[in-house]
Amino acid sequence: MRFASLGSGSRGNATLVEQGDTCLLVDCGFSMKETEARLARLATSAAAIDAVLITHEHGDHINGVGALARKYSLPVWATGGTFAADRLGEGIEKKRICSHSVFAIGDIEVQPFPVPHDAREPSQFVFSNGDKRLGLLTDVGSRTPHLEEQLSACDALILECNHDKAMLDNGEYPLSLKRRVGGDHGHLSNVQAADILGRLDTSKLTQLVAAHLSEKHNTPALAQAALAEVMGCSSDWVAVADQQRGLGWRDV
Ligand SMILES: [Zn+2]
Ligand SMILES: [Zn+2]
């Protein structure tokens, strides 16, 4: 199994997960032109994608999905709540998932789990090929025992490190937005992400990626340092899915 990021952050998210002949696109917050260019950068194309899976209906995750799914006839998988937000338009094959029930798309098994975030029915996922497990956790405001259980014993983990709390508190956002981002249904700070990581079984972890970093209220070095401290590793070992550059293919 392998994965890559087309880009990650509040200006757009998209992740590829590939196993055997199956390639999933998880979220797509980029325009068609941007998406096609970013796929080409990863030496692939939309024609190679089998399905799109959506975490939730916020624009940075869903803005590009409708047009891409129509152009390439891709089925879109999401919870009923995400579909009910009605952000995709017509002419799309919709596959409704239950956020507690495992399902398979081709060669990839997907275990969804609900997370506290200010969307209708947000889910994050663990992907498995029957041997290795890749966990994805972004857009979550606070930890839950359930998400920690799901993400334990993964071989690879993509983990939100949205903001440094001091940078957010001292930043230019209006107070209401600071409260939303930093709230229990907002986004994880570096400290919160490190706290979650420290509660997981990380004995199998060979890949760790910090994701959904705020460009205004975080730096890659701060996020990497926070996660590296928990792992007892050097900061360089923690990868970052960059907003502009994404992250190249990584084998799990
Ligand atoms: Zn987001
Ligand atoms: Zn969101």
Side-chain angles (χ1 to χ4, degrees):
M1 189 160 60
R2 63 177 191 157
F3 68 96
S5 169
L6 279 68
S8 180
S10 59
R11 290 190 294 117
N13 295 272
T15 306
L16 288 170
V17 182
E18 191 181 85
Q19 167 62 42
D21 292 332
T22 305
C23 184
L24 297 186
L25 180 65
V26 185
D27 293 331
C28 188
F30 300 107
S31 69
M32 179 78 74
K33 196 177 156 197
E34 250 327 285
T35 303
E36 289 173 336
R38 286 168 185 249
L39 286 167
R41 190 167 70 186
L42 292 163
T44 187
S45 70
I49 296 170
D50 295 290
V52 184
L53 179 60
I54 307 176
T55 57
H56 65 299
E57 70 274 20
H58 288 161
D60 56 321
H61 299 261
I62 208 170
N63 276 349
V65 173
L68 192 77
R70 271 186 292 278
K71 181 171 176 183
Y72 292 96
S73 300
L74 300 174
V76 176
W77 299 62
T79 61
T82 298
F83 283 135
D86 207 16
R87 300 285 313 276
L88 294 174
E90 297 301 310
I92 288 170
E93 183 189 353
K94 295 177 182 169
K95 303 272 201 180
R96 184 171 166 166
I97 65 170
C98 164
S99 57
H100 287 280
S101 302
V102 68
F103 57 95
I105 303 176
D107 294 334
I108 301 174
E109 187 183 277
V110 186
Q111 174 67 64
F113 55 93
V115 292
H117 187 58
D118 53 0
R120 290 184 182 221
E121 196 182 355
S123 280
Q124 297 290 321
F125 306 105
V126 174
F127 304 94
S128 171
N129 62 0
D131 178 26
K132 305 288 187 179
R133 298 170 75 236
L134 161 66
L136 172 67
L137 182 71
T138 70
D139 297 76
V140 53
S142 45
R143 64 184 178 82
T144 68
H146 185 57
L147 75 80
E148 289 165 10
E149 193 178 312
Q150 296 299 319
L151 292 171
S152 266
C154 281
D155 298 277
L157 192 56
I158 302 170
L159 180 58
E160 166 164 66
C161 290
N162 181 257
H163 57 275
D164 172 81
K165 189 165 183 316
M167 286 177 76
L168 178 66
D169 288 347
N170 298 325
E172 292 172 356
Y173 277 1
L175 189 57
S176 59
L177 190 52
K178 286 180 184 176
R179 284 189 177 143
R180 201 223 118 204
V181 170
D184 283 350
H185 289 73
H187 292 274
L188 293 180
S189 69
N190 295 336
V191 168
Q192 287 177 296
D195 181 35
I196 290 172
L197 184 64
R199 292 165 185 274
L200 305 180
D201 171 358
T202 53
S203 58
K204 294 181 178 171
L205 200 66
T206 58
Q207 301 273 355
L208 179 59
V209 180
H212 216 304
L213 274 68
S214 166
E215 293 176 293
K216 288 194 175 82
H217 305 128
N218 209 353
T219 67
L222 285 171
Q224 287 171 301
L227 300 187
E229 191 180 339
V230 177
M231 296 302 295
C233 64
S234 81
S235 288
D236 299 355
W237 187 76
V238 180
V240 174
D242 184 75
Q243 179 72 81
Q244 194 53 42
R245 294 186 303 277
L247 181 73
W249 288 105
R250 301 227 153 191
D251 290 316
V252 183

